[in-house]
């Protein structure tokens, strides 16, 4: 027994319009065609869905139960059709994106021009916040979260992870010397995050073989602030590749302990609430980010 969408649609339409004749007009079908579809449905289910009288149609108990299921099935099919149609159409409208300022400045902003040329009808609104925001409260479509996710109510699209490295400016190393052993870091000025100590776990092994938890001499809540301090020669820092790529390429920051750095990559996810009307805009933006930020992408910000 296989029910068809035409049979379910005929049944729902008869209930909604109140008669087979009215349903036929709504569906642009013949009265006999709708009647036969309804009869096939009842035959397949082995039960009567509607009691027919000379004056009206009345749902049976089985019909009530079937009506709810039929509506859900038809709605699901309609949603699927709308979703595919939106993907085929040119995405348009405002897309509000939120990210911590370092990720926005170093990973997203350099790609904005290419994205706008590819999707000229999408109006980007870029907002920065170094704290985790409530997407609904801040009217945000997509937020970039760095680190392990804790909010299970959101949908997440993983982006390429970004490697952590220990860095210092040539000016700092010239003034204070280059540490050759991990233990020597204790004699240097270390730049770290506040207030979360987990961000001060560096990808180096301590004397016991564990990842190194540092005690910072100078703290900041923003990675961009720490980057600027490191560039100014104020100390040694551990930052993610996405924000130091150009600094490392230009020599403004040099990696320390390259041969002993553990390959630790910060998880990066784009999170969003599912919304059919925004699906096309969200999908094109996320697909673009994944493609461009991949290690072998056209303009990867990672390596």
């Amino acid at each position: 027994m296989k029910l068809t969408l035409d049979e379910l649609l005929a049944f729902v339409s008869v209930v909604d319009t109140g008669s087979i004749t009215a349903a036929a007009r709504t569906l642009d079908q013949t009265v006999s065609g709708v009647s036969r579809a309804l009869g096939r449905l009842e035959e397949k289910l082995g039960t009567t869905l509607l009691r027919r009288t000379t004056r009206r149609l009345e749902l049976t108990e089985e019909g009530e139960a079937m009506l709810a299921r039929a509506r859900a099935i038809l709605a699901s099919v309609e949603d699927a059709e709308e979703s595919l149609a939106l993907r085929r159409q040119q995405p348009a409208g405002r897309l509000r994106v939120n990210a911590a300022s370092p990720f926005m400045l170093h990973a997203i902003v350099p790609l904005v021009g290419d994205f706008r040329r590819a999707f000229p009808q999408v109006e980007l609104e870029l907002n920065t916040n170094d704290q985790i925001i409530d997407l609904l409260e801040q009217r945000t479509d997509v937020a970039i979260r760095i680190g392990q996710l804790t909010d299970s109510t959101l949908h997440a699209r993983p982006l390429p992870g970004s490697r952590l490295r220990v860095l210092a400016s040539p000016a700092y190393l010239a003034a204070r010397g280059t540490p050759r052993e991990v233990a020597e870091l204790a004699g240097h000025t270390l730049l770290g995050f506040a207030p979360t100590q987990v961000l001060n776990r560096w990808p180096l092994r301590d004397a016991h073989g564990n990842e190194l938890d540092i005690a910072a001499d100078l703290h900041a809540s923003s990675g961009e602030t720490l980057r600027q301090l490191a560039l100014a020669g104020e100390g040694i820092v551990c930052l993610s590749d996405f924000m130091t790529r150009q600094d490392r390429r230009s020599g403004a920051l040099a990696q320390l302990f390259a041969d002993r750095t553990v390959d630790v990559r910060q998880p990066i996810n784009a999170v969003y609430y599912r919304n059919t009307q925004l699906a096309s805009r969200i999908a094109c933006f996320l697909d673009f980010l994944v493609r461009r930020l991949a290690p072998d992408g056209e303009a990867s910000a990672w390596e």
Side-chain angles (χ1 to χ4, degrees), residues 137-293:
E137 184 178 309
Q138 299 295 324
R139 300 179 65 222
T140 296
D141 300 314
V142 179
I144 307 299
R145 299 273 170 86
I146 300 174
Q148 296 297 332
L149 293 178
T150 57
D151 190 342
S152 61
T153 66
L154 299 173
H155 297 273
R157 175 79 179 270
L159 300 178
S162 185
R163 190 176 182 185
L164 294 169
R165 301 178 199 261
V166 179
L167 307 161
S169 71
Y172 175 87
L173 298 176
R176 299 288 302 274
T178 301
R180 303 298 178 186
E181 300 295 333
V182 174
E184 294 177 24
L185 288 173
H188 284 264
T189 301
L190 305 184
L191 309 177
F193 286 87
T196 308
Q197 180 58 30
V198 70
L199 296 178
N200 294 325
R201 182 168 296 157
W202 289 10
L204 299 171
R205 300 296 185 191
D206 61 20
H208 304 288
N210 302 314
E211 282 187 74
L212 183 68
D213 286 307
I214 63 107
D217 301 287
L218 182 56
H219 298 82
S221 60
S222 167
E224 182 60 22
T225 301
L226 292 176
R227 172 178 170 268
Q228 293 294 336
L229 288 168
L231 288 170
E234 295 300 327
I236 299 174
V237 73
C238 178
L239 294 173
S240 195
D241 277 358
F242 72 77
M243 62 188 303
T244 62
R245 178 193 185 205
Q246 294 301 330
D247 299 328
R248 289 179 283 111
R249 284 190 171 185
S250 68
L253 291 177
Q255 183 177 359
L256 304 179
F257 308 108
D259 59 339
R260 278 174 280 179
T261 298
V262 181
D263 189 354
V264 174
R265 295 176 186 264
Q266 283 187 314
I268 303 175
N269 288 276
V271 298
Y272 58 97
Y273 284 102
R274 192 178 301 280
N275 184 314
T276 302
Q277 292 181 329
L278 296 177
S280 181
R281 283 169 283 189
I282 291 173
C284 75
F285 181 73
L286 298 184
D287 289 346
F288 180 87
L289 280 187
V290 170
R291 184 171 66 254
R292 294 298 298 271
L293 298 180

Side-chain angles (χ1 to χ4, degrees), residues 10-248:
F11 170 52
V12 171
S13 297
V14 168
V15 173
D16 288 345
T17 61
S19 72
I20 293 177
T21 301
R25 285 197 299 267
T26 299
L27 297 174
D28 196 21
Q29 296 180 16
T30 64
V31 172
S32 61
V34 173
S35 181
R36 284 195 300 271
L38 189 57
R40 288 195 304 271
L41 181 61
E42 290 183 320
E43 184 179 349
K44 289 177 180 179
L45 293 173
T47 189
T48 299
L49 301 175
L50 292 164
R51 293 191 187 94
R52 300 164 180 82
T53 70
T54 55
R55 302 180 64 181
R56 61 177 181 172
L57 294 172
E58 203 172 75
L59 279 169
T60 64
E61 186 176 340
E62 292 78 11
E64 290 276 7
M66 187 61 200
L67 180 62
R69 290 179 176 272
R71 290 194 192 282
I73 292 170
L74 292 173
S76 178
V77 172
E78 185 178 347
D79 285 346
E81 290 176 343
E82 287 181 0
S83 179
L84 290 175
L86 282 169
R87 284 182 176 270
R88 287 194 300 269
Q89 296 169 2
Q90 179 72 1
R94 178 168 294 191
L95 181 66
R96 298 175 176 87
V97 180
N98 185 283
S101 54
F103 193 89
M104 184 68 75
L105 291 171
H106 298 285
I108 293 180
V109 167
L111 303 179
V112 165
D114 287 347
F115 179 81
R116 294 187 67 211
R117 282 185 284 274
F119 303 98
Q121 295 184 52
V122 176
E123 180 186 348
L124 281 176
E125 179 181 311
L126 305 178
N127 299 302
T128 58
N129 196 311
D130 290 332
Q131 306 299 320
I132 293 178
I133 65 163
D134 183 300
L135 272 66
L136 292 179
E137 184 178 309
Q138 299 295 324
R139 300 179 65 222
T140 296
D141 300 314
V142 179
I144 307 299
R145 299 273 170 86
I146 300 174
Q148 296 297 332
L149 293 178
T150 57
D151 190 342
S152 61
T153 66
L154 299 173
H155 297 273
R157 175 79 179 270
L159 300 178
S162 185
R163 190 176 182 185
L164 294 169
R165 301 178 199 261
V166 179
L167 307 161
S169 71
Y172 175 87
L173 298 176
R176 299 288 302 274
T178 301
R180 303 298 178 186
E181 300 295 333
V182 174
E184 294 177 24
L185 288 173
H188 284 264
T189 301
L190 305 184
L191 309 177
F193 286 87
T196 308
Q197 180 58 30
V198 70
L199 296 178
N200 294 325
R201 182 168 296 157
W202 289 10
L204 299 171
R205 300 296 185 191
D206 61 20
H208 304 288
N210 302 314
E211 282 187 74
L212 183 68
D213 286 307
I214 63 107
D217 301 287
L218 182 56
H219 298 82
S221 60
S222 167
E224 182 60 22
T225 301
L226 292 176
R227 172 178 170 268
Q228 293 294 336
L229 288 168
L231 288 170
E234 295 300 327
I236 299 174
V237 73
C238 178
L239 294 173
S240 195
D241 277 358
F242 72 77
M243 62 188 303
T244 62
R245 178 193 185 205
Q246 294 301 330
D247 299 328
R248 289 179 283 111

